[in-house]
Amino acid sequence: MSPRGGGEATLGLVFKVHSNLHLMESLPDALVHTILLSYMNNARDVAICNCVSKCWKDVMPYISRLYFPRNCFDNLSGSDSPDEIVLRMVSSIERLEELVVYSPFSGAGLSSWLSVMGSSLRQLELRMDNLTELQGCLESPFKLDCISFAKNLESLKLWGVLITQSPKWEVFQKLKNLEIVGARLDDLALSALLTMCPYLTNLLLLGCEGVRSVSIDLQYLERCKLDFYGFGNCSFSMNSPKIEVLEVQGCSWIRVRGTEYLKNLSIANNAGRVYMVDFGKLVALEFLSIRGVQWCWDAICNMLQWASEVKHLFMKVEFTGDFEVLQPFPEFDFVEFFNNHPKLQKFDIHGAMFAALCQKNSLKRINRGFVIPCLEEVAITIRSPLNAEQKMSTLESFIKFGKYLKAMTIKILQMKSNHSSADDFFDEICRFRYMNRKIVRIE
């Protein structure tokens, strides 16, 4: 979701044409239709065109899209309120299919617009601005309830919305895309809202707070991005057998059923800990990203086991440990890891996991027959000069056994150490880069 611009080039044309009315009236009807119906949606541009020519004014009822920017009523003069102006514009259009309103509006205003043209709307995007509890209690009608007038929506996008009570909606039979950015949620209210959108294929909840437990049971869902902020202790469960792309941020307990088609999976928790994950075999997974300050070791091991077919793996977890105490990763066998992930093509590995692969016993099983069959790119972040000899040996092993390795990026990040070995280690990395300059680069 991104704020919409548009109409600048068209508006420039309007002003040029306005300076020569004869030229404007001589424009072919086909060109007028193309300009207004295909390229213009900014409400200010539409209003200007509506005033300068009867030829252009006659086309206005056939516009299908309207966009009201955040500041479009900042310099409003006259007795009409913004709500009344919007109502007048949408009422003059025969079949409005897309409405985007970032400018402030009231619940009564929204109700009046949608009651007029709600049945024709296919896409609706609103900056709600009703996040505080006081606003939600005093507002009548409640903005969220008004959306029920737009019963044929295919896409709904909301910014800054309060969802602490179940919306008074009927089931949206055609709604495929739901995006909510910046919301205060209640568990039961969110659950009720989702049951009224049973045919969603795309769901985005970004920058949301207030939830403790989220359960999603949407049989047609294909793409889902969830971003909850707070203490990072939410629980999340999903049963969506067609899910292909899933991103989850801010949950500690995660259980997902129906992962046969899951191709892209990202799990992060920047505020709390990841205690438990339950996915089952991820047979179609191509990309896996696991990030966070602390993951329980069982959760890490389970994810790596289930994702044995993965092609791109991103790992940036700082510590493990089941409870409050932060612990480093235990030893991880280099040979066993790549034997268990034979299709891995791209590997982004942060300091903790790299250190775990660099233990002395990790490289003992390497023999002449061992190869890393598919690895083409590896990006390694190093944060400490400790065990420098083993780390250099591991870097050399990537080059030696990576049969098709084309690029290695070494990121030296915040290497803070008073030990004299830090400079020596960096010199070794530079020497390693020089010896393998066609493949290795340092950032």
Side-chain angles (χ1 to χ4, degrees):
M1 293 176 66
S2 60
R4 305 197 181 183
E8 290 84 357
T10 307
L11 185 57
L13 175 60
V14 170
F15 284 124
K16 289 180 181 179
V17 173
H18 185 256
S19 65
N20 191 330
L21 292 177
H22 175 72
L23 173 60
M24 180 169 59
E25 295 295 347
S26 66
L27 285 175
D29 290 345
L31 179 57
V32 174
H33 283 227
T34 299
I35 292 173
L36 293 182
L37 302 184
S38 300
Y39 297 104
M40 187 176 295
N41 60 13
N42 190 301
R44 184 170 179 268
D45 299 352
V46 172
I48 291 173
C49 291
N50 203 26
C51 296
V52 298
S53 168
K54 182 180 185 303
C55 174
W56 288 38
K57 183 177 181 179
D58 291 342
V59 182
M60 296 304 163
Y62 306 106
I63 288 175
S64 62
R65 300 175 297 156
L66 268 183
Y67 160 54
F68 292 85
R70 182 67 175 170
N71 61 351
C72 68
F73 297 115
D74 284 357
N75 299 314
L76 183 64
S77 60
S79 58
D80 289 343
S81 68
D83 285 349
E84 291 171 334
I85 294 173
V86 176
L87 177 61
R88 186 162 59 247
M89 291 190 70
V90 300
S91 299
S92 66
I93 298 173
E94 289 190 1
R95 186 176 178 80
L96 189 65
E97 295 186 358
E98 180 178 354
L99 177 64
V100 180
V101 184
Y102 290 155
S103 57
F105 61 89
S106 67
L110 180 62
S111 177
S112 65
W113 315 335
L114 297 184
S115 62
V116 169
M117 49 71 190
S119 60
S120 67
L121 275 182
R122 297 295 178 267
Q123 300 180 54
L124 178 62
E125 184 169 350
L126 301 171
R127 181 163 177 165
M128 304 287 274
D129 288 340
N130 66 337
L131 273 174
T132 67
E133 296 288 352
L134 180 61
Q135 285 176 313
C137 293
L138 297 179
E139 188 178 46
S140 180
F142 193 47
K143 289 181 181 178
L144 197 64
D145 293 341
C146 299
I147 296 173
S148 62
F149 286 111
K151 58 184 178 181
N152 292 317
L153 281 179
E154 297 173 3
S155 177
L156 174 61
K157 302 179 182 182
L158 304 174
W159 298 71
V161 58
L162 181 70
I163 310 177
T164 55
Q165 56 186 10
S166 301
K168 297 176 182 178
W169 293 352
E170 295 181 359
V171 172
F172 285 97
Q173 299 288 341
K174 298 180 180 180
L175 191 65
K176 303 294 184 183
N177 178 61
L178 175 62
E179 301 183 15
I180 299 175
V181 177
R184 181 172 298 169
L185 306 174
D186 172 82
D187 293 351
L188 295 178
L190 176 60
S191 178
L193 184 150
L194 292 178
T195 59
M196 300 170 197
C197 310
Y199 302 106
L200 289 178
T201 59
N202 181 68
L203 173 64
L204 183 148
L205 302 176
L206 183 63
C208 299
E209 64 174 330
V211 293
R212 293 297 183 90
S213 179
V214 180
S215 180
I216 295 177
D217 188 353
L218 295 169
Q219 298 304 300
Y220 301 95
L221 195 64
E222 298 175 0
R223 296 169 300 278
C224 182
K225 182 174 182 178
L226 308 174
D227 177 17
F228 304 114
Y229 66 86
F231 296 106
N233 58 352
C234 297
S235 65
F236 168 66
S237 64
M238 169 181 274
N239 181 21
S240 298
K242 294 187 177 182
I243 193 72
E244 296 180 5
V245 179
L246 175 61
E247 298 181 41
V248 182
Q249 152 65 29
C251 294
S252 292
W253 295 270
I254 301 168
R255 174 175 283 112
V256 179
R257 290 289 177 261
T259 58
E260 182 180 353
Y261 299 103
L262 188 59
K263 296 179 181 179
N264 289 52
L265 173 61
S266 177
I267 302 174
N269 195 337
N270 299 323
R273 302 172 181 83
V274 176
Y275 290 107
M276 185 276 291
V277 289
D278 184 2
F279 281 85
K281 188 69 173 177
L282 299 168
V283 294
L285 197 67
E286 297 180 357
F287 171 78
L288 172 64
S289 172
I290 59 175
R291 294 171 289 131
V293 176
Q294 183 181 7
W295 280 52
C296 291
W297 187 242
D298 284 346
I300 295 175
C301 291
N302 286 336
M303 287 306 310
L304 293 176
Q305 179 182 350
W306 296 324
S308 60
E309 307 295 315
V310 73
K311 296 179 180 179
H312 182 183
L313 177 59
F314 183 98
M315 293 187 65
K316 187 180 179 181
V317 178
E318 302 287 348
F319 300 98
T320 185
D322 293 340
F323 301 103
E324 298 293 332
V325 179
L326 300 177
Q327 298 179 352
F329 283 21
E331 181 177 318
F332 217 101
D333 188 84
F334 186 91
V335 175
E336 182 180 345
F337 175 82
F338 285 104
N339 282 340
N340 290 338
H341 300 86
K343 297 182 181 180
L344 192 61
Q345 298 176 0
K346 187 174 181 180
F347 191 18
D348 292 81
I349 177 174
H350 203 69
M353 183 63 180
F354 179 64
L357 287 172
C358 295
Q359 303 299 320
K360 287 185 178 181
N361 294 329
S362 182
L363 302 176
K364 284 186 176 181
R365 297 186 190 179
I366 295 182
N367 53 53
R368 294 181 180 179
F370 171 71
V371 294
I372 306 174
C374 296
L375 191 65
E376 297 179 358
E377 298 179 40
V378 59
I380 301 169
T381 300
I382 302 175
R383 301 186 63 172
S384 169
L386 298 178
N387 298 323
E389 182 178 349
Q390 292 303 122
K391 289 178 179 177
M392 290 307 306
S393 179
T394 303
L395 292 175
E396 292 167 358
S397 296
F398 277 107
I399 298 291
K400 183 177 181 181
F401 300 105
K403 187 176 180 181
Y404 298 105
L405 191 65
K406 298 176 181 177
M408 173 186 287
T409 302
I410 302 174
K411 302 176 183 179
I412 310 297
L413 183 64
Q414 299 176 350
M415 189 178 288
K416 298 178 181 179
S417 175
N418 295 325
H419 200 278
S420 60
S421 63
D423 291 339
D424 294 337
F425 181 44
F426 186 75
D427 289 342
E428 286 294 319
I429 291 177
C430 291
R431 189 177 296 109
F432 172 74
R433 186 264 174 198
Y434 178 78
M435 297 297 295
N436 302 279
R437 53 187 175 275
K438 292 184 178 180
I439 296 178
V440 180
R441 64 187 180 95
I442 300 175
E443 292 186 355

